[in-house]
Amino acid sequence: MFSKTVKKLKITVFIIVFSFSGALFAQLQPVLQVNDERTERAATSQTTIDGFQDKTDKLSAEYKIVSKQIEGLKVYNAQKRKQIKRQVERMEEIETTMKDASVLQRQIPPLAQRMLEGLEQFVALDTPFYIDERMERLDIVRSSLSNPKITASEQVRQILEAYNIEAEYGRKISSYEDTIVIDGKEMVVNVLVVGRIGMFYQTKDEQQSGVWNNETNDWEEVSGYRTAIRDGIRMAKKLAPTDMLLLPVSKGGA
């Protein structure tokens, strides 16, 4: 009997507790719903904030990249401004040079002509060694100066080359074969040219030798120098080593 009473009491307590819990849950339901809504809004807000943060980070990264590009462009533009300034200066220099060149170009033909005339006078007054070769060179230069198809620079080059060759004659010893007139007779001889110190001849049989006299503008026979002139001819032809030579010098000079 007691056991049944206890069981009924437990059932009653359970019912009372269940009823109380149900009532309490019913009262808490709005609160829990509001809390859920707050949580949901908070999550949505956080998502929005995270989105803004991502955008902000992305924009910040892009800003840094653009800033670096701008700095690079500033340096590049500064360099280009310097280059443009230098190019403008160079163009001005070229323009000035072209004007000077035009003036110089007009002065070249008369200058070259005067140089040629001076060289012609020099050759005419000089000892007549290699005379045919030298006169032919002068003819070539003269023809070049009168040819409009030849540039001024080439004309100058030719006249300077002729001057250089004439200067070189005075620094070397050379020999060549020539036909000269001695005592009214033509003779084939070896001619020895020692710079501009003197010009000598010797017959093929080495029996007759002479020196050019610039005062009389003719050959002058000499004696006692056969061996020296012969040795000089051999040296000029590279048939003997270069050595001291004792040679006559015409009183007229060479």
Side-chain angles (χ1 to χ4, degrees):
M1 183 68 180
F2 178 77
S3 176
K4 290 182 179 180
T5 301
V6 172
K7 187 181 289 186
K8 288 180 179 180
L9 181 59
K10 288 182 177 179
I11 292 171
T12 300
V13 172
F14 176 76
I15 292 172
I16 293 172
V17 171
F18 180 78
S19 298
F20 178 77
S21 298
L24 182 61
F25 179 77
Q27 293 178 359
L28 292 175
Q29 183 66 29
V31 177
L32 293 174
Q33 185 176 356
V34 170
N35 185 63
D36 290 341
E37 291 176 354
R38 287 180 178 177
T39 302
E40 185 178 352
R41 286 197 298 271
T44 302
S45 298
Q46 186 62 44
T47 301
T48 303
I49 291 171
D50 292 341
F52 282 132
Q53 185 63 43
D54 291 341
K55 290 181 180 179
T56 301
D57 293 342
K58 184 177 180 181
L59 289 173
S60 178
E62 290 178 352
Y63 173 77
K64 291 179 180 179
I65 294 173
V66 172
S67 295
K68 289 182 179 180
Q69 290 177 344
I70 291 174
E71 290 300 322
L73 288 173
K74 287 181 179 178
V75 174
Y76 177 79
N77 289 335
Q79 292 176 344
K80 285 300 179 183
R81 282 193 292 270
K82 290 180 180 179
Q83 292 178 357
I84 292 172
K85 181 181 178 182
R86 179 55 187 155
Q87 288 176 351
V88 171
E89 292 174 351
R90 181 57 180 158
M91 290 174 63
E92 293 174 353
E93 292 173 359
I94 293 174
E95 185 177 357
T96 302
T97 302
M98 290 177 64
K99 291 179 180 178
D100 294 340
S102 299
V103 175
L104 182 61
Q105 189 171 11
R106 290 194 297 269
Q107 295 175 346
I108 286 177
L111 173 63
Q113 185 62 41
R114 290 195 299 270
M115 292 176 68
L116 175 60
E117 292 173 357
L119 190 58
E120 288 175 333
Q121 293 176 5
F122 176 79
V123 172
L125 297 173
D126 195 22
T127 305
F129 54 84
Y130 297 108
I131 191 61
D132 292 338
E133 175 184 318
R134 295 162 75 186
M135 294 303 296
E136 181 180 0
R137 185 178 301 109
L138 291 175
D139 289 340
I140 293 174
V141 174
R142 188 182 305 105
S143 176
S144 172
L145 295 184
S146 61
N147 188 345
K149 294 182 179 181
I150 298 178
T151 63
S153 60
E154 175 61 18
Q155 292 174 349
V156 172
R157 187 197 66 78
Q158 289 186 13
I159 188 67
L160 290 178
E161 182 180 14
Y163 267 88
N164 288 333
I165 293 173
E166 287 294 331
E168 185 64 24
Y169 285 140
R171 296 191 291 266
K172 66 180 182 179
I173 177 173
S174 61
S175 177
Y176 62 96
E177 187 177 287
D178 197 5
T179 300
I180 63 176
V181 177
I182 302 175
D183 296 331
K185 298 179 181 179
E186 289 189 349
M187 301 180 65
V188 177
V189 298
N190 289 318
V191 176
L192 172 65
V193 181
V194 182
R196 284 191 164 82
I197 296 175
M199 181 170 69
F200 312 89
Y201 80 86
Q202 190 168 76
T203 57
K204 291 291 186 176
D205 59 8
E206 300 180 3
Q207 297 302 309
Q208 186 177 343
S209 302
V211 60
W212 178 263
N213 189 326
N214 279 338
E215 194 173 68
T216 63
N217 200 31
D218 201 357
W219 291 105
E220 178 181 302
E221 186 176 353
V222 294
S223 59
Y225 295 95
R226 183 180 66 83
T227 301
I229 294 175
R230 182 201 62 191
D231 291 345
I233 293 172
R234 289 175 57 82
M235 292 178 194
K237 293 181 177 180
K238 310 299 182 185
L239 299 176
T242 303
D243 199 356
M244 296 290 293
L245 292 173
L246 182 61
L247 295 170
V249 177
S250 171
K251 64 180 180 178

